[in-house]
Amino acid sequence: MHRIDGASSTSSRGSSLSPRVRRPKAKLRSQYPADSIENHVEYILVASFDIDRGSVMEHQYPGPISGDETMLAELMLPDQAHVRSQDWTIFFLHKDTSAEEEEREARRERRRKRRRRKEGLEEEEDDEDTTAGAEEDQEDDDYESDDESTDEESDEGGDPDGPPLVYVLNLVNTKQDNTVKRGAIVKAMAICTRHSFLHIYKPLLLLALEEYFRAPVLDTLASLYDSLNAMDLSLLPKLSMLENFVLQASDAKDMFIEKFETMIRQRKAIDADRDADTSAASSTSDLKRKNLAPPRDTHEFESKVDYNGIPVPIKVPTALSAETVGDFSLVKLIQTFSTPHTTQPQPFALHPHLTTSGAFTHPIIVLVNALLTQKRIIFLGHNRPSGEVAEAVLAACALASGGVLRGFVRHAFPYTDLTKIDDLLKVPGFIAGVTNPVFAHTPEWWDLLCDLPTGRMKISHRIEAAPITEGLLFFQQQGIPVAGTGNSQSVDKSGIDATGDNHYMESLLQSIANRHGETAIRAKWRSWILKFTRIAAAFEETVYGASALYIGSHETDVGVYGVSGHGFVWPDEASRLRELAANVHRVEGWRSTRSYFTFVQDLAGRWDKRPVRGIDLYHQHDRLRCLRLTHDQSAAIYLAFARAVEEAGAESASEDDQPLTMSGSQSLTLDPSRKPGEQLQYDTILQLLGVIPQSNSGLFYLSLGLFHPRQDVRIAVVRLLERIMEHPAGRHFWATLGRFAKLAFFRVKREEVGHVK
């Protein structure tokens, strides 16, 4: 394991809105405030290879990053680097962040005190303390988002195993020089940052390393360091967790453009106030304000870094998923291992956790199963650049995470070598990238070997056997066949795809063949991971009587909105038991891993922040999508959706709005801290949109309520769709709705007008 600061560390790791749903006029907070105590880049390192001394660390700026300099230099100069003119590597470090945490906690405490003073729960402090804290409160207000839980939401992305990782992007260049031994000079330059989008710094590293070859002095690093940290990202708005999810799942290039426009207006107002305080506004300030414009694509924020007089354009991702580090391609990873399997399939050695569809389980499913059940995984790229194996490791982490689960990156080694093998083997369930072929001949070091040049995977014969579990015995005692036990070949010959994995992979590969793009493929994997977690929750409830993966089932089963029920939906009981039995080994293997326990913690934290808690939106929408419902059953679901949205914005509803009338209406159960109003209705619609992403039917099943035989249901669906189309994100969903549904919408509105008359 890599050590730094004495701590153990792995080397892984604009349109007008209706008043009902207008975003509350609160000061938006930047993801990266201009006055933040955190730098974009913390350290810049330079290493070189000396024929006599080996890998040597030449410079560390602005100071020593500490830890083992030799280890860092070896990581920066990968095997066979001298045979290539250029190579990239990525590795991760742990570093103490106690000072930053203390500052963040102090800011939270000041915010809590301010809220208590506003609520009258705390007496006013003496004049001296109040005066001293006024400036601090004002500073906090400057960065306050419209949702006061912003800091807490960001903390959710933290890892319980320790502080955030330091991500290291490293460039190696080899220059031919006959005047030196070996005839070449090999140098590497690395940027250390806590931003997971470290790939944006590649153009700067290319320029800086060339400059360093010309001027190998500390001032070269200082110039790069100052330029990178001067990058202005203060106009990048901070999105809530729900906004992040909706943006990631959408291809609309102007999704949440209103937030960027608000950030620009705030900046212009600040500049105007500043100019008013001076005798004359500078022409440069005027020019800067004129250049402020919203991005062409809200998925990326465009900025620039001025380095040595060269303006280098930078695009920073607006919304980041969990476990997404650097620039990688899921499409490339899937194609690498799918093509050989499709053209010439080869059987795997059977293992219940991995070969969930028998010996000919798709390699990508084997890989995901290995990641979910915390197996030791090696990506081998013999005679390939180290950057290629690093990219495969990062893609694999994102594959298993799906933007939902965590616990993979912290135990990933995008690149490592034989000298680190002792430390590597101490890490349970690592994901490592290597280029040395020795790893292929040592199966006791790994459970799954992924060979990049051949596109083949191999399960080690030394892998630990899967234990007998309560879940396995439960289904066996009921006489339900369990995949992965007995003669698995018979499962293949029968043609039964109990897990649905084969059908899913066919659909995924068809999407790739149709050039649907990286965003669509990531959205499909997110849906697969979400389905897996929901199946796991149903499995636990079936076998153990309750599930830690479903928090608040007592609230959703009460029926406060007129509907009850929670969890995944199957068309019938036989299908439910068959799919649960097919997933026994995969689920049981996952239940003892770090990603499982981290997910349980995340769910508990998210539950308190959910805008609506008395209804399982996923469950009810799946009922509309999967089941044959009676008119009364479907009516209850449509009315529940409409009621949840309307009551969330009860205080902001206009006077001429008539409340929905529903039989058996009960009082709304909400977190007391979440008062009905514009903010809650805005978030409630986001929560609903998160259940129906545009990549998965969108508003289609909701729009079917426009054809319901009951008029009150049709009118309720019209009200619901009106609020969605007036929502900053919902308007994009409305735009993609089919013309037939839109015609029905306007027909029902005319009916409503006639009915009122």
Side-chain angles (χ1 to χ4, degrees):
M1 305 281 282
H2 304 154
R3 297 183 178 275
I4 185 166
D5 285 356
S8 168
S9 83
T10 63
S11 77
S12 76
R13 281 265 268 197
S15 63
S16 61
L17 302 175
S18 164
R20 289 176 295 190
V21 290
R22 182 184 294 118
R23 190 61 160 158
K25 294 181 180 179
K27 186 177 180 64
L28 285 183
R29 179 183 180 184
S30 170
Q31 288 193 40
Y32 307 99
D35 297 333
S36 173
I37 62 173
E38 298 178 358
N39 286 327
H40 297 308
V41 171
E42 298 192 359
Y43 297 92
I44 297 178
L45 314 176
V46 174
S48 62
F49 186 81
D50 185 274
I51 191 65
D52 299 316
R53 297 183 294 165
S55 300
V56 178
M57 184 68 71
E58 287 190 3
H59 292 298
Q60 301 181 65
Y61 187 86
I65 195 172
S66 105
D68 188 340
E69 288 191 2
T70 301
M71 177 272 295
L72 287 175
E74 290 174 348
L75 285 172
M76 293 172 64
L77 297 163
D79 294 339
Q80 303 299 308
H82 63 280
V83 302
R84 301 181 184 89
S85 61
Q86 185 180 102
D87 199 1
W88 295 91
T89 56
I90 294 174
F91 55 94
F92 310 146
L93 300 171
H94 292 189
K95 189 174 184 297
D96 179 57
T97 56
S98 55
E100 292 91 335
E101 285 299 320
E102 288 175 3
E103 171 62 26
R104 192 175 291 112
E105 182 57 36
R107 191 164 65 243
R108 291 196 201 103
E109 182 59 29
R110 292 196 297 270
R111 186 174 300 161
R112 285 191 289 266
K113 287 182 178 180
R114 186 169 66 255
R115 284 204 295 263
R116 287 196 294 268
R117 287 199 300 268
K118 289 179 180 178
E119 295 168 0
L121 300 179
E122 184 177 84
E123 295 183 0
E124 290 292 335
E125 301 177 43
D126 57 61
D127 293 341
E128 181 178 352
D129 289 342
T130 303
T131 303
E135 292 183 3
E136 293 178 340
D137 284 352
Q138 182 60 44
E139 178 185 348
D140 292 338
D141 284 337
D142 288 343
Y143 303 124
E144 190 75 40
S145 70
D146 42 88
D147 183 356
E148 289 191 346
S149 63
T150 302
D151 276 346
E152 286 77 1
E153 284 184 0
S154 63
D155 290 345
E156 185 182 301
D159 197 299
D161 293 339
L165 293 172
V166 173
Y167 305 100
V168 184
L169 176 67
N170 179 65
L171 171 63
V172 187
N173 269 4
T174 301
K175 300 286 188 182
Q176 302 301 320
D177 189 339
N178 295 328
T179 64
V180 300
K181 295 179 181 179
R182 300 183 68 183
I185 300 175
V186 183
K187 292 186 183 294
M189 181 179 290
I191 288 176
C192 306
T193 175
R194 294 197 191 276
H195 298 335
S196 60
F197 46 84
L198 69 170
H199 61 281
I200 69 168
Y201 300 119
K202 282 187 174 182
L204 280 305
L205 266 182
L206 288 168
L207 293 173
L209 189 51
E210 285 294 328
E211 179 65 22
Y212 186 82
F213 270 101
R214 289 192 294 269
V217 294
L218 206 58
D219 287 345
T220 302
L221 306 189
S223 175
L224 176 62
Y225 180 86
D226 294 339
S227 297
L228 292 174
N229 286 316
M231 178 173 58
D232 183 14
L233 301 181
S234 60
L235 291 178
L236 178 58
K238 187 173 183 64
L239 305 183
S240 70
M241 181 180 63
L242 292 170
E243 290 167 336
N244 265 322
F245 174 68
V246 171
L247 179 59
Q248 291 166 9
S250 172
D251 287 328
K253 294 185 181 299
D254 58 341
M255 181 72 76
F256 298 121
I257 190 70
E258 302 84 1
K259 300 177 84 62
F260 290 87
E261 292 170 344
T262 299
M263 294 295 293
I264 292 173
R265 286 196 297 270
Q266 290 177 179
R267 169 65 64 83
K268 288 182 176 179
I270 293 173
D271 288 347
D273 291 341
R274 182 181 297 115
D275 291 343
D277 293 337
T278 60
S279 57
S282 66
S283 58
T284 57
S285 177
D286 291 337
L287 179 61
K288 183 178 181 180
R289 287 200 298 273
K290 289 178 182 178
N291 290 336
L292 296 180
R296 290 168 291 185
D297 184 352
T298 54
H299 294 80
E300 296 177 323
F301 179 78
E302 299 179 10
S303 184
K304 65 178 181 178
V305 174
D306 292 317
Y307 176 67
N308 283 354
I310 303 173
V312 181
I314 295 292
K315 290 185 178 181
V316 177
T318 302
L320 292 173
S321 299
E323 308 285 290
T324 300
V325 179
D327 189 23
F328 55 84
S329 172
L330 287 190
V331 172
K332 180 180 178 181
L333 178 70
I334 293 168
Q335 288 179 322
T336 297
F337 295 101
S338 294
T339 302
H341 176 77
T342 302
T343 56
Q344 190 178 359
Q346 295 180 0
F348 284 101
L350 294 175
H351 188 280
H353 286 171
L354 306 184
T355 53
T356 48
S357 297
F360 289 93
T361 300
H362 196 283
I364 294 298
I365 298 297
V366 172
L367 173 61
V368 174
N369 289 339
L371 288 159
L372 290 174
T373 56
Q374 200 167 298
K375 299 297 186 285
R376 300 173 300 170
I377 302 170
I378 290 286
F379 283 89
L380 174 61
H382 181 47
N383 288 331
R384 296 291 181 91
S386 58
E388 189 173 323
V389 297
E391 182 181 323
V393 170
L394 297 177
C397 292
L399 192 76
S401 166
V404 177
L405 304 178
R406 296 189 291 122
F408 305 102
V409 166
R410 184 170 286 271
H411 299 84
F413 296 70
Y415 173 76
T416 192
D417 55 38
L418 276 176
T419 64
K420 321 281 187 312
I421 187 62
D422 291 337
D423 291 332
L424 180 68
L425 296 179
K426 296 175 183 177
V427 180
F430 60 76
I431 311 106
V434 301
T435 57
N436 196 315
V438 171
F439 284 88
H441 307 296
T442 321
E444 62 270 21
W445 289 351
W446 43 266
D447 298 320
L448 180 67
L449 179 72
C450 307
D451 191 279
L452 292 172
T454 64
R456 297 290 185 180
M457 295 185 188
K458 182 179 181 181
I459 298 175
S460 173
H461 65 272
R462 304 286 294 273
I463 188 174
E464 183 179 351
I468 303 297
T469 62
E470 290 185 43
L472 176 62
L473 297 175
F474 175 87
F475 287 99
Q476 286 180 338
Q477 290 168 359
Q478 297 198 23
I480 302 173
V482 176
T485 59
N487 184 8
S488 294
Q489 294 294 340
S490 63
V491 176
D492 296 341
K493 292 177 181 178
S494 68
I496 298 176
D497 183 18
T499 61
D501 291 341
N502 294 333
H503 175 73
Y504 172 79
M505 287 306 305
E506 290 175 3
S507 171
L508 189 73
L509 292 172
Q510 186 62 46
S511 294
I512 294 175
N514 292 336
R515 302 182 181 275
H516 286 178
E518 183 74 15
T519 300
I521 300 306
R522 295 191 188 191
K524 278 182 172 288
W525 267 111
R526 184 184 183 98
S527 66
W528 191 94
I529 295 295
L530 279 172
K531 177 183 176 181
F532 168 72
T533 60
R534 297 178 69 206
I535 288 177
F539 173 89
E540 290 184 334
E541 289 187 328
T542 301
V543 175
Y544 301 104
S547 174
L549 299 174
Y550 201 94
I551 301 170
S553 58
H554 61 286
E555 295 187 34
T556 56
D557 292 345
V558 168
V560 65
Y561 290 100
V563 292
S564 60
H566 66 274
F568 198 75
V569 174
W570 284 271
D572 52 62
E573 183 66 10
S575 299
R576 185 179 76 89
L577 292 176
R578 183 168 59 248
E579 188 157 12
L580 291 180
N583 282 277
V584 164
H585 295 292
R586 182 156 50 194
V587 173
E588 292 280 34
W590 179 55
R591 292 182 68 246
S592 60
T593 66
R594 54 181 171 259
S595 68
Y596 172 86
F597 292 111
T598 304
F599 186 54
V600 170
Q601 293 174 357
D602 289 348
L603 288 176
R606 292 171 189 164
W607 180 256
D608 291 335
K609 300 183 181 72
R610 291 182 65 176
V612 176
R613 300 193 333 202
I615 179 175
D616 185 341
L617 298 178
Y618 274 107
H619 177 80
Q620 301 303 334
H621 187 266
D622 281 355
R623 290 180 64 204
L624 289 176
R625 186 171 59 90
C626 302
L627 304 182
R628 286 179 172 269
L629 303 175
T630 66
H631 292 321
D632 289 341
Q633 288 173 329
S634 61
I637 297 175
Y638 289 123
L639 293 174
F641 284 156
R643 181 186 173 197
V645 171
E646 178 155 334
E647 292 191 357
E651 290 185 354
S652 62
S654 57
E655 294 180 358
D656 58 342
D657 279 343
Q658 299 177 3
L660 292 172
T661 57
M662 305 179 192
S663 58
S665 177
Q666 304 179 41
S667 61
L668 184 64
T669 55
L670 285 170
D671 184 341
S673 65
R674 301 301 303 274
K675 303 297 183 183
E678 292 178 356
Q679 176 65 58
L680 188 59
Q681 188 173 69
Y682 176 91
D683 290 340
T684 300
I685 294 175
L686 280 176
Q687 185 179 346
L688 178 59
L689 297 179
V691 173
I692 52 174
Q694 291 171 279
S695 60
N696 185 21
S697 76
L699 295 174
F700 174 76
Y701 290 100
L702 285 184
S703 69
L704 293 180
L706 296 168
F707 305 95
H708 199 279
R710 283 173 49 178
Q711 186 180 39
D712 62 326
V713 174
R714 297 197 300 271
I715 293 175
V717 173
V718 164
R719 298 276 189 87
L720 174 61
L721 291 175
E722 282 180 328
R723 285 166 172 78
I724 290 176
M725 63 193 290
E726 292 162 352
H727 188 277
R731 63 187 178 91
H732 297 284
F733 285 70
W734 169 259
T736 60
L737 189 61
R739 179 175 175 80
F740 190 68
K742 289 181 178 179
L743 289 174
F745 171 86
F746 292 112
R747 175 178 55 79
V748 175
K749 278 189 69 69
R750 289 193 298 269
E751 289 178 1
E752 181 184 6
V753 172
H755 177 72
V756 172
K757 290 181 178 179

